[in-house]
Amino acid sequence: MQIKEVIQHLETLAPITYAEDFDNVGLLVGSRETVVTGVLVTLDTLENIVDEAIENDCNLIISFHPIVFKGLKKFNGSNYVERVVMKAIKNDIAIFAIHTALDNAIHGVNNMICEQLGLLNRKILIPQSGNIKKLVTFAPTTEAEALRNKLFEAGAGSIGNYDNCSFSSEGTGTFRASDTANPSIGEIGKTHREKETQIQITYPKHCEGKILKTLFENHSYEEVAYEITTLENKNQNIGMGMIGELPNPVEELDFLKHIKNIFKTGCVRHSALLNKPIKKVAVLGGSGSFAIANAHRAGADIFITSDLKYHQFYEAEGRLILADIGHYESEQYTKNLIVSYLRKKISNFAIILSDKNTNPIQYI
């Protein structure tokens, strides 16, 4: 199996196209054509992680965080980023980073946090917009149903818990073929009228290449008439953070102690208690201060995230509890998620969970 085939599996879980614009995700080091000997999954790619990959004969490291975030202008080993990249290249080890693509995935980072907390009725906290596309095309009425079904098979027409969704209307199309055309129906130089069906169908943007390939391969016209529109509708299955409910209300202090234990953190920094039980919980792995207002609007009793600054705790405004459990701690189960997923998909080489703790923050 080549690296590109492993990437295809990862993109099924978390399409790279849904990563945030600021991020640097995908294959950062190495060739997609390389044959995989083994995979090491880690939260961060450090020098000791590359050493671990060498020891386990793994030539592909799948890392949550990207080791290269900004452009590198030199490679002389003057910092840990350069040293990691140089060691990986020297030992023919590829590095793939998934980061915010997995943050935004419905079964990604935040769902894993919810799993640990046993939350029910989970929903994306901040659904993404701009990633739902609409295709409008026209086909001879006698061919419309077959074409529509092929588009469904390619991934179009899924809306939430429903699939095979489309809208069709009937009409008459006209066209005239030029001398250089090769029309499948009609005659060169004569205006032709054809009973046509207009097909309107939505699809997620990461499927666009496959959708268009399917359209062109299954349409009988030499020139296919089609329109693509980007919709402003929010995708309820893609986005940052998640919100859910505890099976039963829990007292505030008890719940804070519970998350301290679950996430094995040295401390939980939190805003003032509100003296009411916690039922609705919002979470966002990694740095989540930007979502405080979203957590409040969603009716959360507590918002669990990390990297909150001093003044951001004031933004609780006595309306919810803000709980900072630490960046590493909030994302620590992500590598378990990736390993579990890949082991179900791939069985012909080792998928190894790194045993290194890459948390740069220590507690006393």
Side-chain angles (χ1 to χ4, degrees):
M1 177 175 284
Q2 295 175 302
I3 286 176
K4 63 184 178 183
E5 295 172 83
V6 178
I7 292 174
Q8 286 174 358
H9 286 301
L10 292 170
E11 289 238 44
T12 300
L13 172 66
I16 293 301
T17 188
Y18 299 129
E20 297 298 311
D21 292 339
F22 65 80
D23 206 3
N24 187 33
V25 293
L27 190 61
L28 307 184
V29 175
S31 168
R32 295 171 61 90
E33 308 302 320
T34 299
V35 175
V36 181
T37 60
V39 175
L40 180 69
V41 180
T42 181
L43 197 67
D44 304 278
T45 303
L46 306 176
E47 289 180 84
N48 65 338
I49 298 297
V50 179
D51 291 334
E52 186 180 10
I54 295 170
E55 292 167 8
N56 289 280
D57 192 29
C58 294
N59 64 348
L60 173 60
I61 295 173
I62 296 174
S63 179
F64 179 67
H65 291 126
I67 181 61
V68 180
F69 204 79
K70 298 179 180 179
L72 296 178
K73 296 184 179 180
K74 59 185 182 299
F75 293 89
N76 54 28
S78 63
N79 59 58
Y80 79 98
V81 175
E82 293 175 16
R83 290 192 295 273
V84 167
V85 174
M86 289 169 64
K87 179 175 282 192
I89 293 173
K90 182 178 180 180
N91 290 279
D92 295 320
I93 294 174
I95 302 174
F96 180 92
I98 199 166
H99 204 205
T100 56
L102 196 58
D103 278 322
N104 281 317
I106 186 72
H107 298 297
V109 176
N110 298 296
N111 188 62
M112 200 65 177
I113 297 175
C114 292
E115 284 284 335
Q116 300 302 313
L117 296 173
L119 300 186
L120 308 174
N121 305 320
R122 303 169 198 171
K123 295 189 297 184
I124 296 292
L125 181 63
I126 311 176
Q128 266 193 11
S129 60
N131 60 39
I132 300 176
K133 301 271 194 168
K134 183 172 75 170
L135 169 69
V136 179
T137 191
F138 307 82
T141 298
T142 55
E143 302 173 9
E145 184 174 359
L147 176 61
R148 189 187 301 111
N149 288 335
K150 288 293 185 180
L151 292 171
F152 289 152
E153 291 174 12
S158 293
I159 303 175
N161 295 323
Y162 298 83
D163 60 13
N164 290 12
C165 303
S166 70
F167 180 81
S168 299
S169 56
E170 308 298 326
T172 301
T174 66
F175 53 84
R176 183 170 62 184
S178 69
D179 292 341
T180 57
N182 183 28
S184 58
I185 54 176
E187 298 179 34
I188 289 176
K190 293 184 179 180
T191 299
H192 178 79
R193 288 175 170 77
E194 181 71 24
K195 289 184 178 179
E196 291 185 334
T197 298
Q198 182 195 71
I199 301 171
Q200 298 185 44
I201 193 167
T202 60
Y203 61 90
K205 69 177 181 181
H206 74 276
C207 292
E208 184 159 296
K210 187 177 181 180
I211 297 293
L212 290 179
K213 185 172 184 290
T214 299
L215 173 64
F216 300 146
E217 288 180 348
N218 292 277
H219 203 296
S220 64
Y221 286 175
E222 182 181 24
E223 297 288 348
V224 181
Y226 70 99
E227 303 169 8
I228 291 177
T229 307
T230 299
L231 305 180
E232 289 301 315
N233 305 50
K234 294 183 183 298
N235 192 326
Q236 301 301 320
N237 291 319
I238 298 171
M240 283 286 179
M242 194 162 278
I243 188 162
E245 297 176 345
L246 293 167
N248 298 294
V250 178
E251 292 301 319
E252 296 166 311
L253 196 55
D254 290 340
F255 187 66
L256 289 169
K257 290 178 179 177
H258 177 62
I259 61 177
K260 185 176 187 291
N261 179 59
I262 288 290
F263 295 99
K264 303 178 181 63
T265 183
C267 71
V268 176
R269 299 190 304 146
H270 63 85
S271 59
L273 301 183
L274 305 179
N275 299 314
K276 66 175 185 177
I278 290 173
K279 174 69 173 177
K280 206 165 187 179
V281 180
V283 305
L284 200 156
S287 304
S289 61
F290 63 90
I292 293 174
N294 300 87
H296 173 252
R297 284 195 295 270
D301 299 310
I302 187 170
F303 177 39
I304 301 170
T305 188
S306 71
D307 299 343
L308 297 179
K309 296 180 180 180
Y310 176 86
H311 288 94
Q312 288 169 338
F313 281 97
Y314 287 127
E315 295 178 31
E317 295 275 9
R319 300 175 296 190
L320 79 169
I321 296 173
L322 300 178
D324 186 330
I325 64 173
H327 196 118
Y328 174 89
E329 288 79 4
S330 70
E331 297 173 338
Q332 64 186 292
Y333 296 111
T334 302
K335 60 182 183 179
N336 303 74
L337 164 65
I338 297 171
V339 167
S340 176
Y341 176 79
L342 286 180
R343 283 177 177 170
K344 293 175 183 176
K345 300 292 182 180
I346 303 169
S347 59
N348 56 340
F349 53 79
I351 311 292
I352 298 173
L353 177 67
S354 173
D355 60 10
K356 309 297 183 187
N357 184 328
T358 59
N359 190 355
I361 300 171
Q362 305 295 313
Y363 299 98
I364 58 171

